[in-house]
Each structure stands twice: as C-alpha cells, then as structure tokens.
Amino acid sequence: MARVLILGAGIAGHTAALHAKRLLGKKNEIIVVAPNSNYNWIPSNIWVGVGKMYKEQVIFPLAPIYKRKKIEFHQGLAKSIYPEGDSKTASPFVEIAYTDPNRSNEFARIKYDYLVNATGPKLNFAATQGLGPEGHTVSVCTAGHAVEAAASLKDAISLMKLGKNQTLAIGVGHGTCTCEGAAFEYTFNVDHELRMAGVRDMADLVYITNEYELGDFGVGGMVFTQRGFQTTSKLWTESLFRERGVRAILGAHVEKVETGKIFYEQVDGNKNVLEFDFAMLLPPFRGVDLAAFNKSGEDISSQIFAPSGFMKVDADYSGKPYEDWKAEDWPSTYRNPTYPNMFAVGIAFAPPHQISKPRKSPNGTVIAPSPPRTGMPSGIMGKLSILTIADLINKGSDAKAHSASMAKMGAACVASSGSGLTKGSAAAMTMFPIVPDFQKYPNTGRSLKDTYGEIGLSGHWIKLLLHYLFIYKAKARPGWAFIPE
Amino acid sequence: MENPQDAIAHAPLPTAKTLRFRRNIPVQIWRFVAINIKMLNMIRKGHNQK
C-alpha cells in the first residue's frame, strides 16, 4: 500500500486528488493537505468582483467531498518537506501546521511515498508597497477579495450616479505579474457594469499592465486567421479597447501605491503617476513558504526550489538568453530531478523562463510578464502526475512517466467581457501550443489552424457552462471523470 | 515604445452589423457549437501527448 500526499486543493491539487482516489484509492491511501476549508472556482471570481455572483456560488466546502470520496483531508499549511525523512523517520514526510480552527496551534508530520506539490502561488502583495486589500487597491484573487472589490466598485458607481467623475484603474501591480487575462476580463466586466448602470460616460477606465503590447496575455501574443487574413491578438485586443473606450498603459511596473495614486515606471524608463478613485491590481505570484531538509536536517531548499519559490521539475533551468529559448526547455513529466517521487503541478512548478519576451527599463527594472499556467493546463498536469504515480505503483519503478508539456498542450481561454444571458460577451480564444514552438511552427510559433479568437455572446455562454460544469466536476458528482480537464 | 492610445485609435472598429452578429441568438448558438468543438480538439490534443 502506498501513500500519495497532495499539497493544495486548487484546480491542480483537487483534480489530482479525485483522480488518485479513482485510480488508486482501493488499495492505497490518498491524503490532501490544504490551508483553506473551501474549494474556489477562481475563474468566476471575476463575476463576484462586479457583484454578478455571490461568493457562495464560486466556493464550496472540501471536507464533505473528501469524506464522501474517502480521501483523508487535513486543513493545514505545509511548512517543510523532508524527502529523505530525518534521523528518526526513514520515510519521507511533510510537516504541516493546522489552519483548521478546531486544531489551531497543532502540527503534524505526514509520511508519503509520492508527493504532489500543487500549492499554487503565494499572493505577493508585499512586492509592491501599498498594493492589495491591506493597502490601497482591491483584488479578485480570492472569493473574499472579490466581494471587497464588488463593494468598492458599487461605491464608485454610486458616486458617478451623484455626478462625480471617477478614474478606475485595473490591471497588474508589478512588472513580473502573470494573469493579465484576468485583469483584462475584469476591465471589460467593469465597463459592462458601468454601461448597465448608465454611468459609463462618468468613468475614465484605464488598463495598466506589464504587457509590452495589448493582447500579449503573458504568452507573447497570438496570431489568428480570420476571414482569409492573418491578424494578431494585438490588433484584435486594440479593437476591443477602441470599441469600449478603454485607455491603456503598457509595459508598466507599479512601484508603489498610495491613497488615490499609482506610481509606475515604463519600459522606456519614464516614471509617472496615475491618480485613481478605484483600483483593482493583481499581485505578482511567488512560491509558497515551503522549505526542504535532507536526512541530516540541512536546508536543501535552494536545491529543490527556484529563487522564485516554485519547485524545480524536469525543465531546463540553465538561464539561456531569450534568443536560445526552445519549446523543449519546458517540463513534460513535472518530476523533481533530485527526488523523482515528488511532482510539482499547476502554478507550483518553476517555469524555465517567460513566454513573452522579457524587457528591462534603462533603470534596470525587469518588466516581464510571467507565464500563465492556471486553469486547463493545471488540471491536465494534476491528472498527469497521478497517471504517472499510478503506473509507478502498479507497474513498478521503471514505468514510463506520462507527458504533458505546455509546449505540446493547447489551451482554451474564455475571457469574459460582460455578463448576462442575452447581453453578455466574452473573448473566446484557443491556442496551440501554449508555449510557442518555432521549430515546428516557424512563422508564428503556433498552429494557425488551432489558434483562434472570437468575441461574442456565445463566449459568455461557454464561460457560464464551464462554471457549472467544473463546479459539478469538482464536487465529484456522478460521471465527473468523463468531464475533461 | 508606441503610444497605445494611438494604436487603439487606429484599430479596426467593429461595424454595427458585426456588433449585431455578436449578440444575434441564432448566430451565437451556431458559434457556441463551433467554438466548443474547437475547444474539445484542444483538450484532446493536450490529453494525448506522446
């Protein structure tokens, strides 16, 4: 009997847990450690953030699901990994601190044979002074944050109804942020809500981003074929900005935020101030605070984790120059090279480099969108890690690892630009592969046949369908395993 | 670095017909089906790596 320990219960971790139980559960132990008591379908936080959904519609308690599926659940925070055990314990284990209010101040050591690190990101608001709900901006990264954002937006709309013009700044709060797509979604959902409230003419809506061009989305932009022409996501996105009357500030690193003021530097080295009344800025991500120790108790964190705090896997971390980057640099099995019984999936794995071209201002400030690896890729990686573990357990240690490289994987992204069954809209995009492969697709890095974008009401329906479908799946209702990641 | 406001001002503006199509229910039902098929293809490729 083997013990499979999964750290995290987001899209990657929860998907891994359910598949582990399905594939291995009868004879093996499946254990999940996650700091939150609830699952959060994060893509729909955008709608909570504009008051179109209640928090309760995007979260549900994990404990009853795990109880029903006979998965052992510990509500706690993983603090350190001992992949060789220690002087007293031969088996590898993870030390956790309980966040369960009924077990506060308790700690535990949980042994494992296979570890899946799906801890997601640490929301690094501290990287930018004054950023975040404890500073001067709101966020939609968690359901709780989104509720605060909706309340703040409602206040701004009330002021506009009283005749007071408002500047609404939406975007990312650091030069190395990821998730520009979420900021884009929130921008256009806010635009939609302002129009519905009849106050759009009272608002100056400004999108502030670290992207060098609109439509970059942290993946270096895309090229689509539309009506017999190749067009770029840049032009496509600029068209939407023109249609909706949204201003853009590009290539920006937010240095600090004060009450009503965003201080930022751009790629050209210029430093400016954007005054605002409402600001939703996403934070940069880093790995969670997790340390690793060897058998003799020496700290081996730098061997296991990249400087960003994310776990090293089977990627090329040699730090090659941008011109030498290749699709093969990206990991395919997500196994840690030092301890191959450890996997890191979803946001928790360390990407070998950015996908968008990284840039530096003349002052040396790095302005480089980090690669997105949320949603669909996270789910696929979570499942893949369990398929490999299942083969290792059932077929032996020589079993070939399953592969899910982001350089061979497509992604579907539906970016909401307004909700409503008849008045909503969304930008539906597909790209293949996520990481461009210029060896295989010399012109654009991606398959023109499979890279596609379209704006319309149907996109909103798809996003709504995905909301209900993936919450159904996450609740492990009958037939959940037939719903793909 | 180009001024994004200039680029936005010169981007193609959808015509009234295009905007109507984006909300036309029969057209959008068809697009819903078509986009879902494209997405299912993406999923199939992502799940079947050699």
Side-chain angles (χ1 to χ4, degrees):
Chain A
M1 185 179 77
R3 288 167 69 91
V4 180
L5 174 58
I6 297 157
L7 305 179
I11 292 177
H14 190 59
T15 303
L18 295 183
H19 281 295
K21 188 65 197 177
R22 180 176 69 85
L23 295 167
L24 294 163
K26 284 184 184 158
K27 294 180 184 167
N28 304 284
E29 281 182 87
I30 314 301
I31 306 154
V32 173
V33 172
N36 299 316
S37 60
N38 290 317
Y39 180 83
N40 179 196
W41 176 246
I42 291 171
S44 296
N45 284 358
I46 295 295
W47 289 333
V48 177
V50 291
K52 284 293 180 195
M53 267 194 184
Y54 296 110
K55 179 182 172 184
E56 293 70 26
Q57 290 175 275
V58 299
I59 61 170
F60 61 81
L62 285 163
I65 309 295
Y66 289 146
K67 189 178 175 189
R68 173 159 52 87
K69 300 303 289 181
K70 297 186 174 60
I71 294 170
E72 190 178 317
F73 177 51
H74 298 261
Q75 190 192 330
L77 194 64
K79 305 294 281 184
S80 21
I81 304 173
Y82 290 79
E84 302 168 3
D86 67 0
S87 55
K88 293 175 188 165
T89 314
S91 303
F93 65 89
V94 172
E95 269 186 348
I96 71 161
Y98 281 93
T99 52
D100 182 343
N102 298 319
R103 303 186 71 173
S104 56
N105 301 320
E106 282 186 41
F107 296 85
R109 287 181 162 196
I110 301 179
K111 293 179 190 173
Y112 67 84
D113 296 300
Y114 296 95
L115 179 72
V116 179
N117 173 13
T119 41
K122 176 182 179 178
L123 303 177
N124 195 14
F125 289 109
T128 303
Q129 188 189 327
L131 183 71
E134 289 178 12
H136 307 283
T137 61
V138 294
S139 143
V140 291
C141 288
T142 69
H145 287 173
V147 170
E148 291 169 17
S152 186
L153 177 64
K154 194 175 170 189
D155 291 344
I157 290 174
S158 299
L159 288 170
M160 284 184 257
K161 284 183 174 173
L162 293 171
K164 197 167 177 207
N165 289 329
Q166 299 279 284
T167 299
L168 292 85
I170 299 171
V172 299
H174 194 274
T176 62
C177 279
T178 182
C179 283
E180 291 80 8
F184 168 93
E185 278 191 276
Y186 193 68
T187 303
F188 288 99
N189 270 269
V190 166
D191 168 75
H192 185 78
E193 291 309 309
L194 297 176
R195 288 174 198 275
M196 292 294 111
V199 294
R200 183 61 183 90
D201 57 336
M202 305 291 293
D204 181 14
L205 190 51
V206 186
Y207 178 71
I208 178 165
T209 181
N210 55 357
E211 297 156 279
Y212 188 73
E213 294 177 340
L214 285 177
D216 181 279
F217 296 122
V219 293
M222 289 162 271
V223 177
F224 307 135
T225 305
Q226 279 187 334
R227 295 178 188 175
F229 289 87
Q230 284 185 13
T231 187
T232 60
S233 55
K234 174 181 182 288
L235 196 67
W236 192 73
T237 309
E238 285 168 352
S239 172
L240 186 63
F241 273 67
R242 183 177 177 196
E243 178 201 331
R244 300 287 191 94
V246 180
R247 283 202 294 135
I249 296 170
L250 303 178
H253 162 71
V254 175
E255 292 182 322
K256 66 173 178 174
V257 186
E258 292 178 356
T259 308
K261 285 181 182 172
I262 295 169
F263 297 81
Y264 64 95
E265 178 185 351
Q266 286 180 280
V267 171
D268 57 12
N270 282 327
K271 296 196 176 195
N272 294 293
V273 179
L274 173 66
E275 295 193 359
F276 68 90
D277 300 292
F278 167 92
M280 195 298 289
L281 297 181
L282 298 173
F285 293 167
R286 62 169 286 112
V288 298
D289 298 324
L290 191 54
F293 300 91
N294 66 11
K295 198 164 184 70
S296 52
E298 289 164 355
D299 192 327
I300 53 167
S301 302
S302 60
Q303 189 184 337
I304 303 297
F305 300 101
S308 57
F310 298 115
M311 188 179 270
K312 289 180 188 170
V313 290
D314 59 319
D316 183 342
Y317 297 114
S318 58
K320 294 185 281 191
Y322 171 75
E323 293 72 25
D324 296 339
W325 288 357
K326 289 202 170 86
E328 301 90 74
D329 300 342
W330 285 73
S332 60
T333 67
Y334 304 92
R335 294 174 85 170
N336 179 267
T338 315
Y339 300 102
N341 62 337
M342 292 202 309
F343 296 72
V345 293
I347 296 174
F349 87 83
H353 46 68
Q354 291 89 348
I355 301 175
S356 298
K357 183 179 179 180
R359 290 176 169 87
K360 257 187 194 177
S361 77
N363 308 316
T365 305
V366 175
I367 302 177
S370 297
R373 47 209 189 278
T374 52
M376 186 176 159
S378 283
I380 293 174
M381 289 175 217
K383 183 179 179 183
L384 158 115
S385 63
I386 295 303
L387 291 174
T388 300
I389 291 169
D391 280 353
L392 292 169
I393 292 171
N394 296 327
K395 298 178 183 171
S397 56
D398 293 337
K400 189 171 181 281
H402 289 251
S403 171
S405 166
M406 282 173 61
K408 293 181 182 172
M409 184 194 300
C413 173
V414 185
S416 170
S417 51
S419 65
L421 275 177
T422 58
K423 292 184 176 169
S425 72
M429 293 171 269
T430 61
M431 70 180 102
F432 187 90
I434 300 167
V435 177
D437 184 343
F438 286 96
Q439 267 77 41
K440 193 166 181 187
Y441 307 103
N443 294 326
T444 66
R446 296 194 177 94
S447 159
L448 278 171
K449 184 173 161 249
D450 297 314
T451 303
Y452 178 79
E454 181 172 334
I455 298 171
L457 176 60
S458 55
H460 174 71
W461 295 339
I462 293 169
K463 182 149 174 112
L464 203 58
L465 173 74
L466 296 178
H467 168 88
Y468 290 110
L469 201 63
F470 282 113
I471 287 180
Y472 180 91
K473 176 177 173 146
K475 286 182 176 175
R477 298 281 187 215
W480 68 268
F482 293 106
I483 301 170
E485 281 67 41
Chain B
M1 189 175 178
E2 80 175 324
N3 180 347
Q5 271 50 258
D6 286 347
I8 290 168
H10 291 95
L13 191 63
T15 61
K17 186 180 170 188
T18 300
L19 293 175
R20 275 200 308 276
F21 263 53
R22 286 182 183 171
R23 284 195 178 169
N24 181 287
I25 304 288
V27 170
Q28 292 303 312
I29 288 171
W30 158 240
R31 297 315 305 155
F32 178 81
V33 174
I35 297 167
N36 271 302
I37 291 168
K38 279 180 181 289
M39 289 187 176
L40 284 171
N41 276 333
M42 285 295 100
I43 292 162
R44 183 180 52 77
K45 287 187 179 182
H47 280 255
N48 294 297
Q49 291 187 20
K50 302 288 179 216

